[in-house]
Amino acid sequence: MSFKTKFFRIANPITKNFSFEKFFGSLPFDNLILVYHLVSDEDVKHVKHLFPYRSVRQFEKDLDFLSKHFEFVNWEDYLNQKKTSKPKLLLTFDDGYSEFYNIISPILLRKGIFAINFINPKFIDNKELMWRNKASLLVSEINENNNYKNKISNFSGLGDNLETNISSILKINYENRNQLNEIADFLNIDFNDYLKTNPVYLTTEQLIKLKKDGFGIASHGWDHPLYNQLSLEQQIDNTQKSLDYMMDNQFLNDSFAFPFTDHLLTEQFFDLIFKQNSDLKFTFGAAGLKLDSYSKNIQRIPIETKNYSAEEILKNEIIYYQVLKMLGKNTIKRS
Ligand SMILES: [Zn+2]
């Protein structure tokens, strides 16, 4: 358990009489940016071993709470630093899951709330399953099927019991992602068959409709690598390819959200990518409430923590920020 998770557990019961207005006023932020992935009442096999997600009911509860304390803004108002009576809040969704079209956008349209989707162009139209979704799907299939449980023990290099087999699959990194295909072949699991019956990602047609409905579509890297495992050249290539896609398809090419984390990204990367793309205004990480020594890189708050409401997560983030500030650790420093 991370220090932050421990902190959340301790801080939560003692913040019952917390005033958002009072505490938010003391922060150096005039807006918050939240990051979700998807909302679903289903058991989503290709995601459930990666991160928690909200049910429809939980998501609507989050929105009701957020509407009381914040004013949702669209991308233009965010860029123009629109003056609002309540603190501004920008909603973002990562990875381009099809649930945004089927479940989330109808809710947001009904409530008049804007959001940006940060997508990986490589997977749009369900051309391929993203490597992390492959890992989650494999683990789901193994857990649900005794034949796979027996068979996987014969795949070399994953450890000597079911538990280590599963944790090894979930640890396969971007560079070795082809191993996921090898395991699937070995078990006779066909990722493309899965995609045909379960459209995991948004389609081009849906993206165009979402844009018409006023939602933002922007870049989350070409194929969702972990950036700090790439060379500087690979980081730039992966980002540029996805920004070019946005330009070609007339989506937003003035923002970019890092897949996973911007941890260890250097000033050199930021200098290069902003220089190469004169339209690019901001890049986004997901480290929670923190400042960043690179002023055009803005941190978002992950808001899907299991068993915590948006209200509890935000309370904890605000208190945690005060603690980081006292320790002089509230700014991410880049070399
Ligand atoms: Zn992502």
Side-chain angles (χ1 to χ4, degrees):
M1 199 190 298
S2 72
F3 174 69
K4 193 167 177 180
T5 314
K6 277 186 205 148
F7 179 85
F8 274 22
R9 289 201 174 176
I10 299 163
N12 206 46
I14 58 170
T15 54
K16 288 264 178 282
N17 297 317
F18 183 92
S19 151
F20 265 96
E21 285 67 18
K22 185 175 154 214
F23 278 90
F24 197 81
S26 67
L27 297 177
F29 305 93
D30 76 337
N31 59 67
L32 292 181
I33 309 175
L34 307 187
V35 51
Y36 285 95
H37 290 86
L38 74 162
V39 173
S40 177
D41 290 337
E42 309 284 318
D43 186 44
V44 186
K45 287 185 184 191
H46 54 273
V47 160
K48 64 188 272 199
H49 298 288
L50 307 180
F51 46 76
Y53 50 86
R54 299 294 205 219
S55 68
V56 170
R57 208 177 137 240
Q58 288 168 331
F59 181 59
E60 298 227 29
K61 203 178 151 212
D62 282 357
L63 294 179
D64 290 343
F65 159 77
L66 294 167
S67 309
K68 270 189 214 140
H69 296 272
F70 297 91
E71 183 165 334
F72 289 100
V73 288
N74 63 26
W75 183 235
E76 219 169 284
D77 291 340
Y78 176 83
L79 290 176
N80 296 334
Q81 299 180 303
K82 183 190 172 191
K83 291 272 170 287
T84 52
S85 50
K86 287 187 260 187
K88 289 190 280 289
L89 192 128
L90 179 68
L91 217 49
T92 72
F93 288 79
D94 281 5
D95 297 3
Y97 291 112
S98 59
E99 283 81 358
F100 190 87
Y101 188 83
N102 300 319
I103 299 171
I104 300 162
S105 74
I107 298 173
L108 296 181
L109 286 170
R110 173 159 45 83
K111 293 178 184 281
I113 297 171
F114 168 88
I116 294 194
N117 282 271
F118 288 107
I119 65 163
N120 304 116
K122 177 158 189 189
F123 309 117
I124 290 306
D125 292 321
N126 295 290
K127 286 196 197 95
E128 195 187 324
L129 200 55
M130 194 257 277
W131 60 290
R132 290 295 290 156
N133 295 132
K134 286 179 181 173
S136 179
L137 180 61
L138 286 175
V139 172
S140 297
E141 298 290 3
I142 292 166
N143 279 337
E144 288 169 24
N145 187 323
N146 282 331
N147 286 340
Y148 293 148
K149 275 189 191 137
N150 296 331
K151 214 171 169 193
I152 193 69
S153 62
N154 296 319
F155 191 90
S156 69
L158 294 178
D160 47 17
N161 61 49
L162 185 64
E163 205 181 315
T164 51
N165 293 163
I166 285 173
S167 71
S168 301
I169 291 172
L170 291 172
K171 275 187 206 141
I172 292 172
N173 65 16
Y174 176 78
E175 196 185 348
N176 299 323
R177 62 195 181 284
N178 198 43
Q179 275 180 11
L180 295 162
N181 297 333
E182 289 163 12
I183 297 167
D185 286 346
F186 184 77
L187 297 176
N188 255 326
I189 291 172
D190 189 331
F191 292 136
N192 290 327
D193 269 0
Y194 181 81
L195 278 172
K196 266 180 217 146
T197 39
N198 308 273
V200 170
Y201 310 105
L202 295 163
T203 64
T204 303
E205 206 181 320
Q206 289 171 337
L207 290 176
I208 292 168
K209 174 76 167 51
L210 289 171
K211 185 188 161 185
K212 265 198 200 129
D213 284 340
F215 294 109
I217 313 292
S219 161
H220 193 42
W222 180 252
D223 61 354
H224 213 282
L226 176 55
Y227 267 59
N228 59 36
Q229 289 176 350
L230 301 182
S231 68
L232 179 64
E233 198 189 342
Q234 290 170 322
Q235 291 170 352
I236 295 288
D237 286 351
N238 210 289
T239 314
Q240 194 59 51
K241 205 171 166 188
S242 68
L243 287 171
D244 291 346
Y245 166 93
M246 296 302 151
M247 182 81 145
D248 293 344
N249 290 278
Q250 294 170 300
F251 297 137
L252 298 172
N253 66 336
D254 52 2
S255 67
F256 167 80
F258 288 93
F260 301 108
T261 174
D262 57 12
H263 184 53
L264 303 179
L265 268 280
T266 59
E267 270 190 34
Q268 204 185 355
F269 167 82
F270 290 104
D271 285 342
L272 274 168
I273 205 70
F274 278 103
K275 195 175 161 198
Q276 227 163 270
N277 297 277
S278 55
D279 288 338
L280 187 62
K281 303 250 172 26
F282 293 107
T283 54
F284 295 102
L289 211 51
K290 268 189 175 183
L291 299 171
D292 199 296
S293 68
Y294 205 94
S295 63
K296 289 185 200 169
N297 191 46
I298 313 287
Q299 295 302 330
R300 302 175 294 165
I301 299 176
I303 198 83
E304 293 166 319
T305 314
K306 204 177 170 138
N307 300 328
Y308 288 96
S309 65
E311 176 172 14
E312 288 165 331
I313 296 169
L314 289 185
K315 264 189 211 171
N316 287 335
E317 284 285 343
I318 291 171
I319 296 165
Y320 190 68
Y321 178 84
Q322 315 281 10
V323 174
L324 289 177
K325 195 179 164 197
M326 280 190 295
L327 300 170
K329 292 188 171 178
N330 55 326
T331 303
I332 296 172
K333 298 207 166 69
R334 311 219 172 251
S335 52

